[in-house]
Amino acid sequence: MNWFQCILYGFVLGISEFIPVSSGAQGTVLQLLFGTGKNDAIRELIVHIFSLLGFLIAWRNPLSQLINNRYISSRSGNRNRHIRENHDSRFVRSAMLPMLLIMILSFYFWGSISVIPMVIMLILNGILLYLPERMLQGNKSSRSMSALDAWLVGIAGGLSATLGFSRVGLCISSAQMRGADRKNALNWAYMLSIPAMLLFIATDFVMLVFGSQTQAYSTGFGGYLLMAISSFVGSYLSVYLLRNAVLNRSLSAFAYYSWGTALFLFILYLL
């Protein structure tokens, strides 16, 4: 990759990691356009690390409030707030288990997929984003959500290991279809993104150390540095973009984008 391609690749994957589009599918489109290989583990490791850093900094205030509110409410005797925070924590923990399990199994048994299955996944991703917008909006908090609801949200998030599906998008959509309001669904999706990204980073590191990476280190230090900066910026901006979309608009635009990506990817495949 040249430097312009590194900047574009890092920014697109960074911003798509935390909005309801498949970052893996965006990466595949760019790889086809650039004519680069898929097996540069250090490239994926850098993008995942700096995307997570950008996300954590952009979402630091809500995240710190979730942590501090739970600690302060338990120390100050604010029983109602403490119960609410405990329910949020328990819901996310319950959803995290199936999500990580499905992701690990997908890494081990599935691996990468070809273009046609990815096109199908993108179409399904768009449908799953579109459906909740045509349903009555719920108002459930984590206290009203059942263990089954948490598992279904976690299963939906685990599908993100398959290229074409969006972790954040499916977590939000599945939570909404189970009756959760948008704000809670967004917070749970973001909280689940942290262990998911850590798993991606661990997998990238294992592949870098133990895998056969024929094209690793092919970009050069300058290219990797630009990729790191652009992925950080992209993920930082994605937090504000999605919060505005979820709280003030809808996810329908991301559904149309997913379908458009499927069509564009199919055309690239035919060419």
Side-chain angles (χ1 to χ4, degrees):
M1 289 186 181
N2 59 42
W3 283 11
F4 172 76
Q5 291 173 340
C6 289
I7 294 173
L8 184 61
Y9 186 86
F11 182 81
V12 170
L13 264 70
I15 198 170
S16 61
E17 194 66 61
F18 298 100
I19 61 175
V21 298
S22 170
S23 60
Q26 313 309 309
T28 300
V29 169
L30 291 177
Q31 289 161 7
L32 290 174
L33 290 174
F34 298 160
T36 58
K38 298 181 181 180
N39 57 342
D40 188 346
I42 194 170
R43 180 179 65 201
E44 304 306 315
L45 179 62
I46 288 173
V47 168
H48 285 143
I49 289 175
F50 283 89
S51 295
L52 179 59
L53 289 176
F55 164 74
L56 291 175
I57 292 177
W59 201 55
R60 65 188 182 277
N61 289 335
L63 182 61
S64 62
Q65 287 175 3
L66 288 172
I67 296 173
N68 292 336
N69 284 348
R70 186 181 181 199
Y71 175 75
I72 293 172
S73 60
S74 63
R75 293 291 299 272
S76 63
N78 190 332
R79 185 172 181 272
N80 290 333
R81 180 186 292 180
H82 184 50
I83 290 174
R84 184 178 67 250
E85 298 299 334
N86 279 337
H87 279 288
D88 281 338
S89 178
R90 184 170 61 184
F91 181 86
V92 171
R93 288 199 306 269
S94 298
M96 182 173 61
L97 294 176
M99 180 189 72
L100 295 180
L101 178 60
I102 292 175
M103 291 178 67
I104 292 171
L105 292 175
S106 298
F107 293 150
Y108 186 78
F109 291 106
W110 195 296
S112 61
I113 61 176
S114 58
V115 172
I116 296 302
M118 193 184 306
V119 169
I120 296 173
M121 303 298 182
L122 283 166
I123 295 173
L124 292 175
N125 185 73
I127 293 173
L128 293 172
L129 291 176
Y130 187 81
L131 284 178
E133 303 304 320
R134 298 299 175 264
M135 299 171 61
L136 292 176
Q137 297 299 314
N139 59 358
K140 286 184 178 180
S141 66
S142 56
R143 188 172 185 175
S144 304
M145 301 288 279
S146 66
L148 176 61
D149 295 331
W151 276 71
L152 290 174
V153 171
I155 291 171
L159 294 175
S160 65
T162 304
L163 299 182
F165 286 119
S166 163
R167 176 188 62 258
V168 171
L170 293 190
C171 284
I172 294 174
S173 295
S174 59
Q176 284 188 271
M177 285 190 282
R178 299 300 296 178
D181 69 15
R182 287 183 175 181
K183 185 176 181 180
N184 284 327
L186 175 62
N187 284 334
W188 299 334
Y190 274 169
M191 292 170 72
L192 288 169
S193 291
I194 297 174
M197 289 298 292
L198 291 174
L199 180 59
F200 276 122
I201 290 171
T203 304
D204 294 335
F205 183 77
V206 170
M207 292 299 297
L208 178 63
V209 174
F210 300 105
S212 56
Q213 301 297 322
T214 57
Q215 297 188 30
Y217 305 102
S218 59
T219 301
F221 176 78
Y224 287 132
L225 178 61
L226 292 173
M227 196 178 296
I229 296 172
S230 59
S231 60
F232 178 92
V233 173
S235 64
Y236 186 91
L237 294 176
S238 70
V239 173
Y240 298 98
L241 174 64
L242 183 56
R243 286 185 64 85
N244 182 62
V246 168
L247 300 180
N248 301 321
R249 295 182 177 86
S250 71
L251 300 182
S252 298
F254 296 107
Y256 292 121
Y257 181 86
S258 186
W259 293 329
T261 303
L263 177 61
F264 185 67
L265 185 58
F266 183 67
I267 293 173
L268 285 179
Y269 172 75
L270 294 179
L271 297 178

